[in-house]
Amino acid sequence: MATGNGRCNLSNKDMSLSHFHSHNQDFPSSVLSAVTPMDCLSFLSELGIVTTSEGDKLFPMSKTASSVVDCFRYAMDELKIEIAEEASVTDIVKTDRFAVSCEDGRTFSSDLLIIACGGACAAYTGTTGDGYKWLSKLGHKIYAPKPSIVQLVTDNSVTKALSGLRLDADLTLTADGDVVAQQYGEVLFTDYGLSGPAVLQVSGEVSRRVRKDRLTVPMKVSLRLFDEETLSCIEEQLKERRISFASRSMDQLLLSILPQKIGAMLLKTALQRPMALPVSSLSDSDIKKILTTMRCWDFQVLGTRSLEQAQTTIGGADCDEFSESTMQSRIVPGLFACGEVLDVDGDCGGYNLTWAFASGILAGSSTAAVLSEESEAADGN
Ligand SMILES: Cc1cc2nc3c(=O)[nH]c(=O)nc-3n(C[C@H](O)[C@H](O)[C@H](O)COP(=O)(O)OP(=O)(O)OC[C@H]3O[C@@H](n4cnc5c(N)ncnc54)[C@H](O)[C@@H]3O)c2cc1C
């Protein structure tokens, strides 16, 4: 219910596979061709979930995440699916069957088991990484969980002063000088660094380069605030203002071009000298420096915020050890997994729910197929 700020961004019109990431890139690609994003939408539609779009993003028409949960609940009630509420699972053991133990002493046993308990981010939603513990104990390899769709920690001398302010920018993320991600959108300045949709979208590229809490390569976020055409208009404006606003103090120079506080900070960064000087002191080279900073306002990246603040988990159970056509473990017969517990993460924009739906539908239909084969065999006997 927390998804999409309570609105549930459940899919996207652009379902290119580049939006999904895994150490085994073929795995999400195979699963999403067995159960396509369109199949997921048809499945949701059968449950009564109608969608609407905002740009490429798809939401329930109600734009209310709880209505999606309600549609699932009604469908489960009608199918008489039993839900064990408040069952906090503490252990899973496999002997001839699976034995599942809960904190309150309840136990469950079954021949087949689907682990669908999410990743390790946002523990307040109930996902504390328990699935990794169980899968590891059952013999599966786990890639260390890392946060994605998360805020970036940067050198904060500028961002702290601008905390709470936002602007639209073309964001470029570089690692050791190489461009690794680009995104246009809103950027929010914060006490610790940068947030906002454009920043969250590129954050996975930072996480993937963090080892033992440190970046393995120097990384930088550069913000381009204006296109070239606008910059040449701004250049003319600044030359004019040098004459018409000659006696004003420098920190007023970008008034109406940028929000006042952001403009003053950009000038300070670009010119590195006191803002009390008059606008008349502006040289041609100063104007060039201002335009350069508007083209490329750099922030040194120090890392990401923690899993607790993230919206999805990079890493998880190694997909090589699961069948892409059934989601069944290749190590433990009868064991299935789906969703974020596996080593697949999606970009921001409805990709993580699509992965959860597609892999969940596949795991569910595969277990149902096993059960119906067994019951047919029993009938035959
Ligand atoms: C704030 C936020 C916003 C998001 N917004 C979006 C969005 O708009 N669009 C999008 O595509 N993705 C979004 N995501 C990501 C998306 O929600 C997840 O990737 C997706 O829900 C994963 O599905 P899942 O079924 O694998 O696990 P989850 O949906 O995490 O469900 C796992 C369930 O298992 C339960 N569980 C865990 N451990 C135990 C245990 N020991 N015992 C019993 N139960 C347990 C948890 O309580 C939880 O109910 C968002 C995530 C967050 C945190």
Side-chain angles (χ1 to χ4, degrees), residues 243-360:
I243 300 158
S244 48
F245 300 155
S247 58
R248 290 193 189 174
S249 73
M250 194 72 91
D251 58 354
Q252 304 302 319
L253 180 70
L254 296 178
L255 220 57
S256 91
I257 294 174
L258 280 171
Q260 206 277 336
K261 243 177 149 177
I262 296 180
M265 186 52 83
L266 184 134
L267 287 170
K268 206 168 150 191
T269 309
L271 304 180
Q272 303 281 332
R273 63 167 197 260
M275 288 294 107
L277 288 171
V279 168
S280 59
S281 70
L282 199 68
S283 67
D284 282 353
S285 119
D286 288 340
I287 292 179
K288 290 236 167 324
K289 283 182 194 161
I290 295 167
L291 296 175
T292 302
T293 309
M294 286 177 168
R295 223 174 250 124
C296 198
W297 197 359
D298 290 342
F299 298 85
Q300 197 202 335
V301 177
L302 304 176
T304 67
R305 292 195 91 204
S306 70
L307 276 163
E308 189 59 17
Q309 281 90 27
Q311 289 188 19
T312 195
T313 317
I314 292 176
D318 185 356
C319 297
D320 285 351
E321 298 172 348
F322 287 85
S323 155
E324 59 274 50
S325 52
T326 62
M327 308 306 294
Q328 183 162 199
S329 162
R330 297 187 200 279
I331 297 175
V332 186
L335 178 70
F336 296 72
C338 60
E340 204 176 308
V341 74
L342 291 167
D343 169 36
V344 176
D345 64 281
D347 288 342
C348 187
Y351 301 103
N352 286 296
L353 283 174
T354 298
W355 169 247
F357 294 144
S359 57

Side-chain angles (χ1 to χ4, degrees), residues 3-4 9 87 89 116-118 122 125-127 130 134 311 339-340 350 352-353 356:
T3 57
N9 174 199
V89 176
C117 62
T125 65
T127 50
D130 285 346
W134 305 322
Q311 289 188 19
E340 204 176 308
N352 286 296
L353 283 174

Side-chain angles (χ1 to χ4, degrees), residues 105-130:
R106 271 181 289 177
T107 56
F108 300 88
S109 75
S110 63
D111 293 320
L112 305 178
L113 183 77
I114 305 177
I115 294 190
C117 62
C121 69
Y124 61 90
T125 65
T127 50
T128 50
D130 285 346

Side-chain angles (χ1 to χ4, degrees), residues 5-65:
N5 278 329
R7 302 186 322 150
C8 192
N9 174 199
L10 48 75
S11 191
N12 199 294
K13 287 183 192 166
D14 167 17
M15 270 296 158
S16 87
L17 289 165
S18 60
H19 293 293
F20 298 89
H21 315 280
S22 171
H23 285 86
N24 174 354
Q25 202 59 38
D26 290 341
F27 193 84
S29 145
S30 303
V31 171
L32 289 162
S33 46
V35 180
T36 66
M38 281 310 288
D39 295 333
C40 295
L41 290 176
S42 308
F43 178 80
L44 297 180
S45 157
E46 278 170 35
L47 302 186
I49 299 166
V50 280
T51 56
T52 185
S53 59
E54 215 177 85
D56 280 350
K57 292 180 178 175
L58 297 181
F59 295 86
M61 208 175 265
S62 61
K63 299 257 178 92
T64 312

Side-chain angles (χ1 to χ4, degrees), residues 58-83:
L58 297 181
F59 295 86
M61 208 175 265
S62 61
K63 299 257 178 92
T64 312
S66 60
S67 60
V68 175
V69 178
D70 287 341
C71 288
F72 274 94
R73 275 194 188 279
Y74 280 118
M76 289 197 285
D77 280 353
E78 284 153 16
L79 290 166
K80 305 209 178 333
I81 294 170
E82 197 182 325
I83 303 175

